[in-house]
Amino acid sequence: MKNFTTSLVNRCTTGNVQLVKNPTKTLFYGLLLVLAGSKAQAQLTATGQFRTRTELRSGQGTLSPEGSVPALFTSQRTRLNIGYTGYRYKFFTAIQDVRVWGQDASSINRTTTDANDGVLLHEAWGEVILNDTVSKIQNFSLKAGRQSIAYDDQKVLGGLDWLQQGRRHDAAVFKFSNKGYTLDAGVAFNQNTEKGINTVYNGVPTGYGAGTNGIGTMYKSFQFLYAAKKFHFGDISFLFFNDNFSQYTTAGNPAVKTFDRDVWSRKTYGFYWNTNVTRKFNLTGNLYAQGGHDKDGLSIKNAYLASLTATYQAGRKLFIGPGFDYLSGNDGTKAATENNRFDPLYGTPHKFWGHMDYFYTASGFGANGLLNYFFKVKYNAKDNLTFLMDIHGFQSANKVSNGAGGERTPYLGTEIDFQVKYGLTKTVNIEAGYSIMQATNTMASAQVKNVANPELTAHWAYVMLNITPNFMAKK
């Protein structure tokens, strides 16, 4: 491209007399020169992902009734990512297909609708660079479209990559960064359809349920502000997130919801920090509070999240550390007049509260809150081989009713997670894991999981193949 551009410039400059006599040729070569210059500055990226995960589930997500047969299946994610960087703009799109092996017939009748169609646009955004190339500011831009929004350790805002579908938002985000400072401000506004008048959002996107932690509804809109600063000893950040849910009234038997244009607003705000106390000792923590009103209009008060994780490098290859998470909840022995339950928004629960996904995923857990005591071990046997083990002790953060005026023991169960990660190449990775949960009757109770005649010992195992090619890489 450089040689072509140089040759083109020489032709335009040395042949200027002839070009002036031929305006059409002058314009043609001028356009080629502009395109050649832009091509030289632009950058095209093309990557992909093929990820299969075979799982054996016997009580994963919730306890199984006695005599249940474990589930065995393989799910697959296939992604194609195309990005392009030009002068003062970026473009990116990620198309993905997610499905379970055997979900579709081997020969599909295309004249009918495929109910299991898992093809969707995971990301599609454009970013406009607002500062000039000669500016001393590192970055000031507007990123608009379908995008993943993830910050810090992803406890409250994360991409949820473990889930094959992942998580994304249709939003616009102003982004500023300079000399270790980061300041992002984002907004989103959702509608079900394109209408001229009387638009009311019902919180249910077409084709699938919405929300985390089983809330079953999508936000009508959100606004957030994120500020962070990097220091030599670590970093600290502040997040304010306001999500709004469409108000509704109920009538009839069975009750039917009627939505209107007003909203209930939930406000979440707090800090994250990551500190290198010494060269081998690290502390990571979160402290968040929640207020306003929940999706059903109930007032949120005294709702908090607090966490602290310590990591110590005990050897060249060994990392160990304890930690705890506290998420507030309601007193199950009293009638609820307000909501004291902290909802961890749109984070990545699989990363923090056990790999078996009992807490804050799709099950609606959280009425009484959670105390999670854990100890983690990581051993890097080789550059391409890592072993991990997490031990969790789960307990309700508040009282759990026994349904007869008393309360249950607050302990919910003990979970142990094992993982092994092996990189065959930089592109091909294999991962396997096994988890076991020893639950209590409180976990299976109607006030927590509501499982009749439960198997209190649950198992889960998986094997995952992950291939992430870079199609533009030089061979």
Side-chain angles (χ1 to χ4, degrees):
M1 181 62 70
K2 182 178 179 181
N3 293 335
F4 171 74
T5 305
T6 303
S7 174
L8 187 59
V9 171
N10 290 336
R11 291 181 64 183
C12 290
T13 54
T14 57
N16 58 346
V17 176
Q18 183 178 4
L19 289 177
V20 170
K21 293 180 179 179
N22 192 331
T24 303
K25 187 178 290 187
T26 302
L27 179 60
F28 173 74
Y29 278 118
L31 288 174
L32 284 180
L33 185 61
V34 171
L35 289 174
S38 65
K39 288 286 186 181
Q41 297 179 35
Q43 181 180 359
L44 178 68
T45 61
T47 62
Q49 183 184 41
F50 172 81
R51 188 172 84 175
T52 64
R53 186 162 65 228
T54 300
E55 300 182 45
L56 177 66
R57 293 184 177 183
S58 180
Q60 190 270 351
T62 190
L63 297 172
S64 301
E66 287 185 352
S68 298
V69 178
L72 177 63
F73 63 92
T74 298
S75 62
Q76 177 178 317
R77 173 206 283 178
T78 309
R79 278 184 184 169
L80 177 61
N81 310 309
I82 302 295
Y84 187 84
T85 301
Y87 175 62
R88 296 185 67 168
Y89 75 92
K90 296 179 181 178
F91 166 85
F92 181 81
T93 183
I95 301 172
Q96 75 175 20
D97 175 80
V98 175
R99 61 187 63 247
V100 173
W101 284 9
Q103 190 176 35
D104 294 328
S106 59
S107 178
I108 299 175
N109 182 2
R110 290 301 180 183
T111 62
T112 61
T113 301
D114 179 10
N116 296 325
D117 188 7
V119 179
L120 56 80
L121 200 61
H122 176 61
E123 289 193 74
W125 52 261
E127 185 171 1
V128 179
I129 312 302
L130 301 176
N131 58 308
D132 193 82
T133 53
V134 297
S135 173
K136 294 182 179 180
I137 298 175
Q138 181 181 346
N139 180 67
F140 180 43
S141 63
L142 169 62
K143 184 178 180 181
R146 179 163 293 185
Q147 57 190 284
S148 175
I149 299 177
Y151 291 110
D152 304 324
D153 62 356
Q154 303 193 33
K155 190 156 284 181
V156 294
L157 286 179
L160 195 59
D161 187 65
W162 171 260
L163 186 70
Q164 295 284 48
Q165 293 89 332
R167 177 184 287 122
R168 60 271 172 191
H169 305 268
D170 296 328
V173 182
F174 285 94
K175 305 173 75 67
F176 171 87
S177 60
N178 191 51
K179 297 182 179 179
Y181 288 92
T182 299
L183 183 64
D184 291 357
V187 295
F189 185 82
N190 293 333
Q191 292 285 28
N192 293 111
T193 60
E194 181 181 320
K195 292 183 179 180
I197 58 175
N198 299 327
T199 54
V200 176
Y201 189 64
N202 66 9
V204 182
T206 302
Y208 60 94
T212 55
N213 194 27
I215 66 174
T217 188
M218 191 80 162
Y219 50 77
K220 165 67 176 179
S221 60
F222 70 61
Q223 307 83 36
F224 77 85
L225 178 68
Y226 173 82
K229 176 68 170 72
K230 292 185 179 297
F231 300 93
H232 68 279
F233 54 82
D235 50 83
I236 187 171
S237 67
F238 170 80
L239 174 68
F240 173 81
F241 194 95
N242 181 67
D243 50 351
N244 308 296
F245 299 90
S246 296
Q247 292 187 13
Y248 64 87
T249 56
T250 57
N253 187 16
V256 176
K257 292 182 179 180
T258 301
F259 291 88
D260 58 45
R261 286 183 292 277
D262 293 328
V263 295
W264 289 306
S265 296
R266 178 176 62 178
K267 297 170 175 60
T268 305
Y269 48 92
F271 292 91
Y272 163 86
W273 64 91
N274 178 33
T275 306
N276 296 315
V277 181
T278 67
R279 187 172 61 87
K280 294 186 176 183
F281 184 53
N282 175 270
L283 285 176
T284 301
N286 294 269
L287 184 60
Y288 285 91
Q290 226 164 42
H293 295 81
D294 63 18
K295 68 181 181 65
D296 298 312
L298 197 62
S299 178
I300 303 173
K301 294 183 179 179
N302 300 317
Y304 303 99
L305 178 154
S307 70
L308 186 66
T309 303
T311 303
Y312 177 71
Q313 186 175 354
R316 188 171 63 88
K317 299 181 178 181
L318 180 63
F319 299 82
I320 60 174
F324 78 91
D325 297 315
Y326 168 80
L327 294 88
S328 64
N330 300 317
D331 186 337
T333 63
K334 297 180 181 179
T337 58
E338 61 185 30
N339 191 353
N340 306 126
R341 168 188 170 228
F342 185 92
D343 190 306
L345 295 183
Y346 313 103
T348 306
H350 181 85
K351 181 180 176 182
F352 303 103
W353 302 303
H355 293 171
M356 294 185 74
D357 293 332
Y358 273 69
F359 310 104
Y360 301 106
T361 53
S363 62
F365 173 86
N368 306 119
L370 180 69
L371 272 170
N372 169 32
Y373 304 99
F374 59 86
F375 188 85
K376 298 192 175 188
V377 179
K378 178 181 178 181
Y379 181 70
N380 296 323
K382 296 180 179 180
D383 290 341
N384 64 338
L385 180 62
T386 302
F387 296 92
L388 304 101
M389 182 183 71
D390 301 348
I391 303 174
H392 297 266
F394 297 114
Q395 180 176 319
S396 173
N398 214 321
K399 296 178 181 179
V400 181
S401 172
N402 64 2
E407 59 183 274
R408 296 180 180 273
T409 175
Y411 198 73
L412 300 174
T414 303
E415 180 178 329
I416 304 178
D417 302 319
F418 299 96
Q419 275 184 299
V420 56
K421 299 180 179 181
Y422 175 68
L424 182 64
T425 68
K426 291 183 178 181
T427 301
V428 181
N429 294 273
I430 301 170
E431 181 178 323
Y434 170 73
S435 297
I436 181 171
M437 163 70 86
Q438 185 61 53
T440 66
N441 286 318
T442 301
M443 174 76 82
S445 67
Q447 292 76 20
V448 180
K449 285 289 185 178
N450 195 21
V451 181
N453 302 316
E455 292 278 3
L456 295 180
T457 301
H459 304 268
W460 173 64
Y462 75 94
V463 177
M464 185 163 68
L465 171 65
N466 191 26
I467 304 175
T468 54
N470 182 352
F471 302 117
M472 305 296 288
K474 294 181 179 179
K475 297 182 179 180

